Every structure is written in C-alpha cells, then in structure tokens.
Amino acid sequence: VQLVESGGGLVQAGGSLRLSCAASGFTVHDDAIGWFRQAPGKEREGVSCILRSDGRTDYADSVKGRFTISSDNAKNTFYLQIDSLKPEDTAVYYCAVGPTVLDGCIYYSESYYVSWGQGTQVTVSS
C-alpha cells in the first residue's frame, strides 16, 4: 500500500486544518487507517483510527472533541480534521494502514500498522 499525506502547514492557534491521506494498492486485509504524530523530541503517538469496512472510529483522549477522522472509500482518501489547533499539536502527522485488530482499530500502538506515509508537517503558532 502506498500512502501520501498532504494538507499540513503553518497555522495560528485556534485555527483548523484538514489533513489528507491518499492511498493506493489496498488488499482485503488493509482495513484500519491510523493517524499518528511525532512532535520534536518526542516519540510518535497515535491519535485516531478508522475502519474502512464500517467507518468505526477511535480517538486518543487528548484529541477527542477537536480531531475528526473520516474516509472517502470511493476516492481511497482518508482525512483528519483538526480544529481549535494548539501549539502542542505541532508535529509531523503520518497516516498508516493495517489490519483489523480485536474486531476494531487500534490507534495507540503503531506495531499493528504495516504501511506508512512520509508525513506532513503541522506547525501551530501561538
């Protein structure tokens, strides 16, 4: 699977961004899409995931209410809407694809994800 993220940029605190993840080459096992981020000097962390098959989603507590994950399966494109951006959201954001785990998707462990995009930089100024 090939994944290409886009939509990052420099934005003021309080603003919004919509990140996109364009995918190609899916197999039947590639059902979960995850969004992760890595801030400078920190480990990569998962923020959200979605199942292509039924649209179920999950979010890290730290982003609930501000991040919205969605999918357009017809376009094989997945989105992460980020509202009320904060300086601490500054990071490189990655999308990744993997199998269904425990009948759902798991955002908190990247070990389940097998293909990754190159990332898109989000910088939030205060």
Side-chain angles (χ1 to χ4, degrees):
V1 180
Q2 291 76 47
L3 303 169
V4 179
E5 302 95 334
S6 61
L10 174 63
V11 64
Q12 288 188 332
S16 297
L17 280 175
R18 188 177 78 159
L19 307 183
S20 298
C21 172
S24 61
F26 280 120
T27 72
V28 65
H29 301 294
D30 300 322
D31 195 32
I33 303 295
W35 280 97
F36 297 78
R37 66 183 180 183
Q38 187 166 23
K42 295 187 177 182
E43 292 186 354
R44 189 157 57 188
E45 64 170 348
V47 296
S48 184
C49 62
I50 187 169
L51 290 181
R52 294 171 58 219
S53 55
D54 63 12
R56 278 182 288 157
T57 61
D58 203 1
Y59 297 89
D61 287 343
S62 60
V63 305
K64 282 180 180 176
R66 296 193 303 120
F67 287 29
T68 304
I69 192 170
S70 62
S71 66
D72 184 336
N73 287 345
K75 295 182 178 179
N76 278 343
T77 302
F78 308 88
Y79 305 98
L80 186 69
Q81 176 74 34
I82 309 175
D83 298 319
S84 302
L85 277 156
K86 304 175 181 180
E88 51 263 43
D89 293 321
T90 294
V92 178
Y93 284 72
Y94 300 88
C95 63
V97 66
T100 301
V101 178
L102 300 176
D103 195 34
C105 65
I106 292 180
Y107 65 84
Y108 50 82
S109 176
E110 62 179 69
S111 63
Y112 296 105
Y113 292 86
V114 296
S115 297
W116 292 79
Q118 83 291 348
T120 186
Q121 176 71 50
V122 171
T123 303
V124 184
S125 62
S126 57

